[in-house]
Amino acid sequence: ASAAALAAATGASTVCGACRPLLAELAGAGAPRERARGARALLGIGGAALGIALAVVAFAIPYPASVQHAWTWDVLWRESLWKQASGYAVLVLSLLALALSLRKRMRRFRLGDFALWRVAHALLAALTLAALAAHTGGRFGANLNLVLLASFLGVIVLGAVAGGVVALEHRLDAARGARLRRAWTWAHLLVFWPVPALLAAHVLKTYYF
């Protein structure tokens, strides 16, 4: 007879809370209008990620025009140590963000508050994008490098939009909010699938050649 009773009987809405408004409608109580926990953080981090993504697409960091600069920042791309450091930073941050996404999808990973892990997942994704900007200097490269960078950007941009939908879902009716959340989340997941293979090919190519 209530959303709480349905949740207790079925487990629905007890992980991420996405279907809570639908449970309320099913019970006849009407959709609650509460904002998702961590909504403001999701909006802020998502906005920052979109800004970084736009900068990566629109601007390439120029190489120094003179060797007389106190620090020539092109060492980030010319010297192997710096290039490897930024590359491994991208890899580690990506793996951490991926591990946090397991909190929703696997029963054994239920430690802590889902809303907190969701914000941490978004923050790690934004940091990954910043590390990617340092690794590439905003240069897309060619062939598989181009596809890999475009895939990375697509994953993070779609994730930022999905986070924005979650943050603003309380302003929509329950059914429409659920459809939008599902659509953007699935787009985020589907664009991610080529990334591990592309990343493995990139690492193999870098060290083999």
Side-chain angles (χ1 to χ4, degrees):
S2 68
L6 282 170
T10 66
S13 82
T14 59
V15 178
C16 68
C19 55
R20 190 77 173 189
L22 297 176
L23 288 185
E25 284 191 349
L26 184 62
R33 309 301 295 174
E34 295 111 4
R35 183 181 311 198
R37 288 175 297 163
R40 291 179 181 174
L42 286 176
L43 280 177
I45 295 169
L50 290 175
I52 298 171
L54 179 61
V56 170
V57 171
F59 305 104
I61 303 173
Y63 286 95
S66 171
V67 296
Q68 295 180 346
H69 290 292
W71 182 65
T72 53
W73 54 89
D74 60 333
V75 296
L76 290 173
W77 315 303
R78 295 190 185 278
E79 292 191 6
S80 175
L81 176 63
W82 287 102
K83 191 73 171 174
Q84 289 186 67
S86 60
Y88 278 113
V90 171
L91 179 60
V92 170
L93 289 168
S94 299
L95 290 175
L96 287 174
L98 179 61
L100 288 184
S101 70
L102 297 177
R103 168 64 176 79
K104 178 178 178 180
R105 293 170 180 85
M106 297 182 69
R107 288 187 176 276
R108 65 181 62 184
F109 294 99
R110 294 293 171 88
L111 179 66
D113 182 9
F114 176 81
L116 176 62
W117 293 129
R118 181 165 54 194
V119 171
H121 176 77
L123 181 59
L124 284 169
L127 291 174
T128 301
L129 190 53
L132 186 65
H135 185 63
T136 64
R139 294 168 182 84
F140 275 55
N143 302 322
L144 287 180
N145 286 344
L146 173 61
V147 178
L148 174 59
L149 184 58
S151 297
F152 249 113
L153 289 174
V155 169
I156 294 175
V157 167
L158 290 171
V161 174
V165 170
V166 170
L168 299 174
E169 192 174 357
H170 63 287
R171 298 184 179 181
L172 306 171
D173 67 82
R176 185 183 180 195
R179 284 196 304 270
L180 286 174
R181 177 201 285 252
R182 186 163 49 250
W184 285 104
T185 300
W186 269 107
H188 173 61
L189 293 173
L190 290 174
V191 171
F192 169 77
W193 279 105
V195 171
L198 291 168
L199 190 57
H202 177 75
V203 173
L204 178 64
K205 177 261 303 180
T206 299
Y207 284 98
Y208 184 79
F209 294 104

